[in-house]
Amino acid sequence: MDYKKVDAKDIEFLVSILDENRVFKGDSINNDFSHDEMGGISHMPEVLVEAFSTKEVSSIMKYAYENMIPVVVRGSGTGLVGASVPIYGGIMISMSKMNKILEIDEENLALTLEPGVLLMEISKYVEEFDLFYPPDPGEKSATIGGNINTNAGGMRAVKYGVTRDYIRGLEIVLPNGEILNLGGKVVKNSSGYSIKDLICGSEGTLGIVTKVILKLIPLPKKAISLLIPFPNLDMAIGTVPKIVKSKSAPTAIEFMQREVILAAEEFLLKKFPDNSSDAYLLLTFDGNSTEDIEKAYENVANICLNEGALDVFIIDTDERKDAVWSARGAFLEAVKASTTDMDECDVVVPRNKVAEFIKYTSKLQEQFDVRIRSFGHAGDGNLHVYVLKDDLTDDAWKDKIEEVFEAMYKKSRELKGLVSGEHGIGFAKKTYMLQQYGYEYVNLMKNIKLAFDPKNILNPGKVCE
Amino acid sequence: MDYKKVDAKDIEFLVSILDENRVFKGDSINNDFSHDEMGGISHMPEVLVEAFSTKEVSSIMKYAYENMIPVVVRGSGTGLVGASVPIYGGIMISMSKMNKILEIDEENLALTLEPGVLLMEISKYVEEFDLFYPPDPGEKSATIGGNINTNAGGMRAVKYGVTRDYIRGLEIVLPNGEILNLGGKVVKNSSGYSIKDLICGSEGTLGIVTKVILKLIPLPKKAISLLIPFPNLDMAIGTVPKIVKSKSAPTAIEFMQREVILAAEEFLLKKFPDNSSDAYLLLTFDGNSTEDIEKAYENVANICLNEGALDVFIIDTDERKDAVWSARGAFLEAVKASTTDMDECDVVVPRNKVAEFIKYTSKLQEQFDVRIRSFGHAGDGNLHVYVLKDDLTDDAWKDKIEEVFEAMYKKSRELKGLVSGEHGIGFAKKTYMLQQYGYEYVNLMKNIKLAFDPKNILNPGKVCE
């Protein structure tokens, strides 16, 4: 790629449209901006700028487009596949300061906000209006812009769907600086190709999201969780298709293993309600009628007991809720803290294939003599499987992770799964996506990329390149 | 466009891969295939073929691509904007015989089917398994392939969303004959650009849908409708934002006027439960608990009475249900039968702007001295407004419809609405989409079209061209 290097003139331009204190270069750029949450892939931007407005983003893009400078956009940097790493240097635009909630519209059940608003702020804000933004990814400090760019799913996808299902409208800046408004506060839309849905999940490669209109729904009045211990993971996960088939419509079905719970206890210095069993299902139910919720969870509790569950804990006190959900929220960090380095596989498989996939990863653990930890969304088939480096040398680790991943993704394809359920392709999973889709499919993606970005300056080297 | 005309050699090829009795030419092609439900735009295909399999569709496309012959795909032909009219002649592929339901998967709540299955067959089929396919467009004889290509919405969008929200996977044939599998039986997907979501709503211009995997949900156990008469339409529609804001979550909120009800009564020779008021709201509620449903509809009934409703009829007997829903289903046909010709506007506006838009169409009716009839989805802001030709001459009609539409779409843009909620752009609404989006936006769509179809042979002249 023949990109122009950022020089003094470019810096001068950036300073002229932003304030001097929003343009960082050289040593004044914090090293954190060279990588995302997973690490592994890393490269420093040549210049880091903070945007305050759509107009600023547009001006920067126009300039970068004319001058052939690569641009990468960054939210909280909580990604796991290197999508926000500026592998060709250039300009990094931080969207963290475009973080205002602009309007709540109760007549249209719509929330308008800037892309840098954090996920945790959204739920808190709308709940005060008795409204609900259902998507619930584990990483609450991610920005909504980041969530849109990975089509993040989270735990409630079983019942409520994923981020895509809650995007009513987007304002975007194209690579050449043009501003487009996609969708709006409308419930239906059949007005030409859905560019909005193409932006969702495009990992910052097609356009820059500068404003968001989210769909809200009425807040369910009641919610309850069940923690259900099983003698082993097979039995726990094997029960899930029976729960789905029972039509009891839980909001979430998570699975977790004892090792991960112990790691979280150690990490948080906080006890989980129970850690005596090998494997657990954690289910939630929500709705407006206690009677309905009770009927649903009794039905599911009975299914679990019939399938060999050891007990059923109702998580109804604030203390228990806090213990369970803070642990669930800390799993990734806890696993990471337990080893020297790790990489993750975020496949999604049909829900009745989860057990087979997890059983296979146990086999791989023995076969390759490597620690593998997993937890995730049993109810929607999206698994987070972590392979841990521990005391392997860098070279041995590089070889091992390649072999283990190769095997895992092959298995996922056999089960008609897909490479990524919610973390995306970014830089790290490009090979596996190509293996899955083949040349023709990925080439079509490349052509779509060129339709948006003929000079290939926006987040180059990601997804399909 | 420099397309090749279909000649004897092409026919010979088509006969060689299909049976002779599935290749129609000249006078053996029924005139119905030259237009869709709205009429207006019309052109005969040079040859009409019936496909039985993906492989056949792929072979036809490969041949057409190599030989530069335009191809248009057709389902039931119930479209309203000319999207399936072969304006450049060429080959028309009828998908009506690819109409098998292939599999219901209760463990993954997924239905796999061919694109020619009719909407009415889907709901009937899945309900036997206590499952539910929520999208509910008025035209039940449309194919699911057609519904996907317009991202059809229907009445239940208020609560359940639109067709897009229920597409888990698609098999498509690209213009060059390549076959791609998009998505699958998976709940989440962040594996590259969502081509599946681009196909949805692309009106047969980007690829041909040859297989579909739909998401199902548990069938709600109970449903009830309320028919609520108001002194006038303003009061009826003015109540809707208050209903939305009340968070009572109705499944559908339809509005209808006396004239349309009378037309349906005459058309069906069947009485509506009440026709003494000027305007009505028709609401449905569904769920699993009678108590919850009753609480919700009592709440909404009170809101309506406070806002001036004249009465509240509960539609709970089979006879009343049939009378109401058969009338609602016949509105389009009834309005059509009441005049010589008509054209329709399918805008979608924010829900709290419906009243203002409808009031404006009443003004246009007087200003332009033309009959305008409307009904539609008050709960989701998607309006179906019909301008009737009556005894106007062809020339006068052409001028009038242009002026009236110009005014209506302008108003819709002012209200931050969009050109089409669910019927699409096709051929008829291209100008209005361009007026709405502007050159840059439509040009991006054109580039996307070229990414899929560099020779522009699949349904040329539609949507963004």
Side-chain angles (χ1 to χ4, degrees):
Chain A
M1 231 71 63
D2 214 14
Y3 295 119
K4 180 182 162 324
K5 286 280 153 200
V6 174
D7 60 24
K9 207 171 135 263
D10 304 325
I11 301 286
E12 200 179 301
F13 169 79
L14 292 168
V15 169
S16 79
I17 61 159
L18 309 168
D19 303 322
E20 189 139 11
N21 60 358
R22 289 194 278 136
V23 179
F24 305 86
K25 50 189 202 290
D27 289 348
S28 72
I29 305 173
N30 189 312
N31 187 57
D32 281 353
F33 289 95
S34 71
H35 62 86
D36 67 8
E37 184 70 18
M38 186 57 74
I41 305 135
S42 129
H43 197 288
M44 287 296 277
E46 293 164 70
V47 56
L48 167 71
V49 299
E50 285 177 343
F52 281 1
S53 71
T54 304
K55 209 177 144 227
E56 287 178 358
V57 174
S58 167
S59 301
I60 297 166
M61 288 315 301
K62 200 157 175 255
Y63 183 86
Y65 193 78
E66 278 163 10
N67 290 282
M68 200 66 194
I69 303 171
V71 177
V72 169
V73 171
R74 181 175 167 114
S76 296
T78 56
L80 295 166
V81 291
S84 68
V85 177
I87 56 172
Y88 292 103
I91 302 168
M92 173 177 275
I93 307 179
S94 164
M95 305 298 278
S96 293
K97 298 285 169 69
M98 286 182 69
N99 60 355
K100 281 182 281 304
I101 293 179
L102 301 171
E103 185 209 48
I104 186 156
D105 179 343
E106 292 182 88
E107 287 187 342
N108 289 300
L109 304 184
L111 183 73
T112 306
L113 64 175
E114 292 183 326
V117 175
L118 304 186
L119 196 54
M120 62 176 98
E121 295 166 341
I122 297 175
S123 52
K124 214 173 63 185
Y125 184 84
V126 302
E127 280 175 19
E128 283 181 28
F129 296 85
D130 254 340
L131 290 168
F132 187 39
Y133 174 69
D136 188 32
E139 179 56 82
K140 310 297 182 217
S141 63
T143 64
I144 185 67
N147 270 217
I148 290 166
N149 271 292
T150 54
N151 186 24
M155 308 192 212
R156 299 193 191 114
V158 186
K159 180 168 175 180
Y160 290 108
V162 296
T163 303
R164 178 187 306 286
D165 302 314
Y166 294 86
I167 309 173
R168 288 266 191 245
L170 294 177
E171 177 190 77
I172 62 165
V173 174
L174 290 177
N176 66 5
E178 287 282 338
I179 301 165
L180 295 189
N181 277 287
L182 315 172
K185 280 187 196 172
V186 291
V187 175
K188 293 172 170 175
N189 185 0
S190 184
S191 310
Y193 305 150
S194 187
I195 293 173
K196 168 171 79 70
D197 281 282
L198 203 50
I199 293 292
C200 178
S202 66
E203 305 185 54
T205 63
L206 301 181
I208 302 175
V209 174
T210 49
K211 195 153 62 178
V212 180
I213 302 174
L214 294 176
K215 165 186 170 178
L216 304 173
I217 62 173
L219 183 67
K221 294 193 177 67
K222 298 180 180 74
I224 206 158
S225 299
L226 301 183
L227 180 69
I228 306 185
F230 283 84
N232 59 57
L233 190 65
D234 267 12
M235 289 172 78
I237 296 181
T239 306
V240 174
K242 295 182 176 79
I243 297 172
V244 173
K245 203 174 163 178
S246 79
K247 303 178 183 109
S248 300
T251 311
I253 312 176
E254 299 287 300
F255 78 92
M256 48 198 70
Q257 281 177 282
R258 190 160 185 269
E259 301 96 314
V260 175
I261 291 172
L262 294 178
E265 287 186 333
E266 200 181 312
F267 183 76
L268 293 172
L269 299 173
K270 197 158 154 183
K271 281 279 159 210
F272 201 69
D274 183 68
N275 66 15
S276 59
S277 297
D278 247 27
Y280 295 81
L281 289 183
L282 174 63
L283 294 112
T284 57
F285 297 84
D286 67 10
N288 292 318
S289 132
T290 311
E291 189 201 324
D292 273 12
I293 295 179
E294 278 174 5
K295 216 184 286 172
Y297 84 63
E298 274 167 21
N299 184 23
V300 169
N302 285 328
I303 291 171
C304 291
L305 292 169
N306 282 337
E307 295 294 316
L310 300 168
D311 206 338
V312 173
F313 301 109
I314 299 179
I315 307 301
D316 50 358
T317 66
D318 283 348
E319 198 189 335
R320 277 191 164 184
K321 272 184 206 165
D322 177 56
V324 166
W325 291 109
S326 61
R328 174 61 188 86
F331 282 171
L332 172 60
E333 296 281 342
V335 171
K336 206 174 162 188
S338 81
T339 185
T340 53
D341 197 2
M342 65 179 194
D343 206 346
E344 70 120 32
C345 160
D346 160 58
V347 292
V348 58
V349 298
R351 288 177 271 190
N352 61 350
K353 303 294 182 196
V354 172
E356 192 175 339
F357 190 84
I358 292 293
K359 208 180 292 181
Y360 181 73
T361 63
S362 304
K363 237 191 273 169
L364 291 180
Q365 188 167 231
E366 287 171 33
Q367 186 185 331
F368 287 96
D369 186 27
V370 65
R371 276 207 304 154
I372 296 179
R373 288 293 173 267
S374 58
F375 55 86
H377 314 300
D380 60 39
N382 181 206
L383 307 169
H384 301 321
V385 183
Y386 297 87
V387 185
L388 311 184
K389 186 187 176 203
D390 293 343
D391 52 9
L392 286 173
T393 64
D394 286 358
D395 284 348
W397 165 239
K398 202 170 155 272
D399 291 348
K400 187 151 293 190
I401 189 74
E402 225 179 271
E403 284 181 309
V404 174
F405 271 15
E406 199 78 46
M408 273 195 217
Y409 287 110
K410 185 159 172 276
K411 186 68 183 178
S412 158
R413 291 196 294 276
E414 276 170 34
L415 300 175
K416 307 219 167 180
L418 293 173
V419 180
S420 170
E422 57 180 355
H423 296 165
I425 302 303
F427 184 80
K429 310 297 183 206
K430 291 196 296 180
T431 316
Y432 306 112
M433 189 178 82
L434 180 61
Q435 283 171 4
Q436 169 129 43
Y437 287 155
Y439 171 78
E440 183 82 14
Y441 196 152
V442 173
N443 203 42
L444 177 56
M445 288 191 196
K446 276 186 197 168
N447 289 339
I448 292 171
K449 163 71 174 165
L450 288 176
F452 282 78
D453 187 10
K455 289 187 174 181
N456 196 27
I457 61 152
L458 187 59
N459 205 2
K462 309 292 171 61
V463 186
C464 53
E465 284 175 58
Chain B
M1 233 71 63
D2 214 16
Y3 295 118
K4 181 183 161 322
K5 286 279 151 201
V6 173
D7 61 23
K9 205 169 135 269
D10 304 325
I11 301 288
E12 199 179 301
F13 168 80
L14 292 168
V15 168
S16 79
I17 60 159
L18 309 168
D19 302 322
E20 190 138 13
N21 60 1
R22 290 195 279 138
V23 179
F24 304 87
K25 50 189 201 292
D27 289 349
S28 71
I29 304 174
N30 188 311
N31 187 57
D32 281 353
F33 288 96
S34 70
H35 62 84
D36 67 9
E37 184 70 17
M38 186 58 73
I41 305 135
S42 131
H43 196 288
M44 287 297 276
E46 293 165 70
V47 57
L48 167 71
V49 299
E50 286 178 342
F52 281 3
S53 71
T54 304
K55 207 175 148 228
E56 287 178 358
V57 173
S58 168
S59 302
I60 296 167
M61 288 316 300
K62 201 158 176 252
Y63 183 88
Y65 193 78
E66 277 163 8
N67 291 281
M68 199 64 195
I69 302 171
V71 177
V72 170
V73 171
R74 184 177 165 110
S76 294
T78 56
L80 295 166
V81 291
S84 68
V85 177
I87 55 172
Y88 291 102
I91 301 169
M92 174 177 274
I93 307 179
S94 165
M95 305 298 280
S96 294
K97 298 286 167 69
M98 286 182 69
N99 61 354
K100 280 182 282 304
I101 292 178
L102 300 171
E103 184 209 49
I104 187 157
D105 179 343
E106 292 182 89
E107 286 186 343
N108 289 301
L109 304 184
L111 183 74
T112 307
L113 64 175
E114 292 183 325
V117 174
L118 304 185
L119 197 53
M120 63 176 96
E121 295 166 343
I122 296 174
S123 53
K124 216 174 62 189
Y125 184 84
V126 303
E127 281 176 19
E128 282 180 29
F129 296 86
D130 254 341
L131 290 168
F132 188 39
Y133 174 67
D136 188 33
E139 179 56 82
K140 310 297 183 217
S141 63
T143 63
I144 185 68
N147 268 217
I148 289 166
N149 270 291
T150 54
N151 186 25
M155 307 191 214
R156 297 191 193 116
V158 186
K159 180 168 175 179
Y160 290 109
V162 297
T163 302
R164 177 186 308 285
D165 303 314
Y166 295 86
I167 309 174
R168 288 266 193 243
L170 295 177
E171 178 189 75
I172 63 166
V173 174
L174 290 177
N176 66 4
E178 287 282 338
I179 300 165
L180 295 190
N181 278 287
L182 315 173
K185 279 188 196 171
V186 290
V187 174
K188 292 173 172 173
N189 184 0
S190 185
S191 312
Y193 304 150
S194 186
I195 293 174
K196 168 171 79 67
D197 281 281
L198 202 50
I199 293 292
C200 178
S202 67
E203 306 185 54
T205 63
L206 301 182
I208 303 175
V209 174
T210 49
K211 196 153 63 177
V212 180
I213 302 175
L214 295 177
K215 164 187 171 178
L216 304 174
I217 63 173
L219 183 66
K221 293 193 175 68
K222 298 180 181 75
I224 205 157
S225 299
L226 301 184
L227 181 68
I228 306 185
F230 283 84
N232 59 56
L233 191 63
D234 267 12
M235 288 172 78
I237 296 180
T239 306
V240 173
K242 296 185 175 75
I243 298 172
V244 173
K245 201 173 165 179
S246 79
K247 305 177 182 113
S248 299
T251 311
I253 312 177
E254 299 287 300
F255 77 92
M256 47 198 70
Q257 281 177 282
R258 191 160 184 268
E259 301 96 314
V260 174
I261 291 172
L262 294 178
E265 286 186 332
E266 199 181 311
F267 183 75
L268 292 172
L269 299 173
K270 199 157 151 183
K271 281 279 160 209
F272 200 71
D274 182 68
N275 65 16
S276 59
S277 296
D278 247 27
Y280 295 81
L281 289 183
L282 175 62
L283 294 113
T284 57
F285 297 84
D286 66 10
N288 292 319
S289 133
T290 311
E291 190 201 323
D292 273 10
I293 295 179
E294 278 173 6
K295 215 184 288 172
Y297 83 64
E298 273 167 23
N299 184 22
V300 169
N302 284 329
I303 291 170
C304 291
L305 291 169
N306 283 336
E307 296 293 316
L310 300 167
D311 206 337
V312 172
F313 301 110
I314 298 179
I315 307 300
D316 51 358
T317 67
D318 283 348
E319 198 189 332
R320 277 191 164 183
K321 273 184 207 166
D322 178 57
V324 166
W325 291 109
S326 61
R328 174 62 188 87
F331 283 170
L332 173 60
E333 296 280 344
V335 172
K336 205 174 162 187
S338 80
T339 186
T340 53
D341 197 0
M342 65 180 193
D343 206 344
E344 70 119 32
C345 160
D346 160 58
V347 290
V348 60
V349 297
R351 288 178 270 189
N352 61 350
K353 302 295 181 193
V354 172
E356 191 176 340
F357 190 83
I358 292 293
K359 208 180 292 182
Y360 181 73
T361 64
S362 305
K363 237 193 272 170
L364 291 179
Q365 189 168 233
E366 288 170 34
Q367 185 185 334
F368 287 96
D369 187 28
V370 66
R371 275 207 304 152
I372 295 179
R373 289 290 173 268
S374 59
F375 55 88
H377 314 301
D380 60 39
N382 181 207
L383 306 169
H384 301 320
V385 183
Y386 297 88
V387 185
L388 309 184
K389 184 184 176 203
D390 293 342
D391 52 10
L392 287 173
T393 64
D394 286 359
D395 284 347
W397 166 240
K398 203 170 152 273
D399 292 346
K400 185 151 295 192
I401 189 75
E402 227 178 88
E403 285 180 307
V404 174
F405 271 15
E406 199 77 44
M408 272 195 215
Y409 286 110
K410 185 159 171 275
K411 186 70 183 177
S412 157
R413 290 195 295 276
E414 277 170 32
L415 301 175
K416 307 218 165 179
L418 294 173
V419 180
S420 171
E422 58 180 354
H423 296 165
I425 302 302
F427 185 80
K429 310 296 183 207
K430 290 196 295 180
T431 316
Y432 307 112
M433 188 178 82
L434 181 60
Q435 282 170 5
Q436 167 128 46
Y437 287 155
Y439 171 79
E440 182 83 12
Y441 196 151
V442 172
N443 201 44
L444 177 56
M445 288 191 194
K446 275 186 197 168
N447 288 340
I448 292 171
K449 164 72 174 164
L450 288 176
F452 282 79
D453 186 10
K455 289 187 173 180
N456 197 24
I457 62 153
L458 187 60
N459 204 4
K462 308 293 171 61
V463 188
C464 53
E465 285 176 57

